[in-house]
Amino acid sequence: MDEDLIEYCEKLKQKYSILNSEQREFIKKTVRAKYVRKDAKTNFSFFDMLDYSNMSGTNIPDSWRWIKDFIYHKEIVVFFNDGTTREYIKLYNGEIFVDFYDESPLVEFYITDCAVSFLLGYNHSQCLFAFETAGDWLENEIKKQK
């Protein structure tokens, strides 16, 4: 999936970069420390290891499209489940991810920023979920839908 995203960015001449190993390890380590349950075992789905007690989420169909409002013109880091991807990709305009994902098969994705100030994603059960500032944003989006 990461290769598809890179190809998509290149095709549309969208600026992106692949995180180096140090940057990738910082993201991995910080995401684990902030959002993963302490007793979590490595699993196929990263989502299954998350600490749901601090998570906002919804399973409204196509809710993943809402993220365009949150990531619009933001620099974001996108990654997918281990085993299905190798790269962590920085997009300089997060909006492009929604356009890419709209043309892709539904796979789990995870989005944060370089400071790991939030985590946002979409899982195998078609649930949009979020933590911290993205969680606050998602709670407001859910209220708008009611």
Side-chain angles (χ1 to χ4, degrees), residues 46-67:
F46 181 70
F47 176 80
D48 294 337
M49 300 187 321
L50 295 175
D51 180 359
Y52 308 130
S53 66
N54 296 314
M55 181 178 78
S56 297
T58 183
N59 60 356
I60 294 173
D62 291 330
S63 58
W64 66 269
R65 294 176 190 276
W66 302 350
I67 69 170

Side-chain angles (χ1 to χ4, degrees), residues 1-8 80 85-87 89 100:
M1 200 61 182
D2 54 347
E3 293 171 355
D4 296 333
L5 179 54
I6 291 166
E7 184 179 309
Y8 187 82
F80 304 93
T85 186
R86 292 188 315 262
E87 307 296 354
I89 302 167
F100 161 76

Side-chain angles (χ1 to χ4, degrees), residues 4-143:
D4 296 333
L5 179 54
I6 291 166
E7 184 179 309
Y8 187 82
C9 289
E10 288 176 352
K11 183 175 92 176
L12 296 179
K13 298 182 180 7
Q14 292 291 317
K15 187 176 177 187
Y16 74 93
S17 61
I18 297 171
L19 299 189
N20 65 36
S21 60
E22 185 178 297
Q23 294 166 319
R24 185 176 56 245
E25 286 307 310
F26 170 78
I27 299 284
K28 279 184 173 182
K29 191 180 287 185
T30 308
V31 164
R32 281 191 174 276
K34 291 176 81 171
Y35 308 118
V36 171
R37 292 185 324 274
K38 302 301 178 218
D39 63 341
K41 304 278 189 270
T42 302
N43 206 336
F44 169 74
S45 172
F46 181 70
F47 176 80
D48 294 337
M49 300 187 321
L50 295 175
D51 180 359
Y52 308 130
S53 66
N54 296 314
M55 181 178 78
S56 297
T58 183
N59 60 356
I60 294 173
D62 291 330
S63 58
W64 66 269
R65 294 176 190 276
W66 302 350
I67 69 170
K68 195 169 197 171
D69 293 337
F70 184 75
I71 62 177
Y72 185 76
H73 288 306
K74 285 186 181 171
E75 290 184 4
I76 60 169
V77 175
V78 177
F79 61 99
F80 304 93
N81 278 320
D82 285 343
T84 61
T85 186
R86 292 188 315 262
E87 307 296 354
Y88 281 47
I89 302 167
K90 181 177 180 178
L91 301 177
Y92 291 85
N93 180 358
E95 175 185 13
I96 191 72
F97 181 76
V98 175
D99 299 332
F100 161 76
Y101 196 73
D102 195 33
E103 297 179 14
S104 301
L106 293 178
V107 298
E108 291 187 13
F109 66 77
Y110 307 91
I111 297 173
T112 189
D113 58 3
C114 288
V116 192
S117 66
F118 68 88
L119 182 67
L120 175 67
Y122 193 65
N123 76 4
H124 54 276
S125 298
Q126 300 181 358
C127 173
L128 178 64
F129 59 91
F131 292 87
E132 295 194 269
T133 56
D136 296 339
W137 163 82
L138 182 54
E139 289 297 322
N140 286 330
E141 289 299 309
I142 292 169
K143 287 176 188 171

